[in-house]
Amino acid sequence: MAGEPIILFDGICNLCNTAVTFVIKRDKRSRIKFATLQSDTGRQLLEQYHLPTGIFNSFVLIEQGVAYRGSTAALKVSKYLAALWPAMYGFIIVPAIVRDGLYQWIAKNRYKWFGKQEQCMVPTPEITNRFLK
């Protein structure tokens, strides 16, 4: 796993699962790995990076030994995507307090707006190797 970017996400959140599918389709070099925040691996990584293990309202990107959360994590992910998506990283110049305010508002309402599943997503056989258990 060393050196591979890893996204930790809320496995029961419909918005989060859609975002993961979006990333998978656009990460043409299959560099990013995934784990749900609820999984043993997710929990271990949260502990390793001294992040809360019982709060699932954040998207986490672990890249080169650093854990990024919220809007910064999302913008950093854009650099791995195909087409014009890396240009989204330019929004990093927007102050984090503004970006994260919007991010937290969406995160707070994601279940209400997009719903949730009873259990974490099960990856298809074609992408199983991208998910950490």
Side-chain angles (χ1 to χ4, degrees):
M1 275 192 317
E4 297 175 327
I6 302 168
I7 290 176
L8 303 178
F9 67 101
D10 179 354
I12 63 169
C13 168
N14 287 338
L15 175 62
C16 304
N17 283 297
T18 300
V20 167
T21 301
F22 178 89
V23 169
I24 288 169
K25 288 180 181 178
R26 288 157 185 83
D27 177 17
K28 300 296 184 188
R29 293 173 44 196
S30 300
R31 296 173 282 188
I32 300 174
K33 302 292 184 192
F34 303 89
T36 65
L37 291 163
Q38 295 91 339
S39 68
D40 290 339
T41 298
R43 213 171 358 267
Q44 289 169 0
L45 288 167
L46 290 170
E47 288 173 2
Q48 179 180 338
Y49 288 93
H50 309 289
L51 297 172
T53 57
I55 301 171
F56 304 127
N57 67 351
S58 189
F59 172 88
V60 178
L61 172 69
I62 299 171
E63 178 186 59
Q64 298 177 351
V66 179
Y68 300 96
R69 297 182 352 180
S71 66
T72 300
L75 290 172
K76 284 188 166 285
V77 166
S78 72
K79 297 189 301 182
Y80 292 95
L81 307 182
L84 296 176
W85 289 105
M88 293 297 292
Y89 187 71
F91 285 102
I92 201 79
I93 65 168
V94 175
I97 194 164
V98 174
R99 289 186 282 114
D100 286 339
L102 177 61
Y103 179 91
Q104 289 302 323
W105 178 64
I106 293 169
K108 180 179 156 188
N109 292 290
R110 72 191 188 282
Y111 292 151
K112 180 170 47 173
W113 295 341
F114 302 99
K116 64 181 182 175
Q117 302 173 22
E118 293 298 316
Q119 62 184 21
C120 292
M121 74 179 282
V122 177
T124 63
E126 299 82 30
I127 61 171
T128 299
N129 64 331
R130 308 250 335 249
F131 286 78
L132 308 173
K133 304 227 183 313

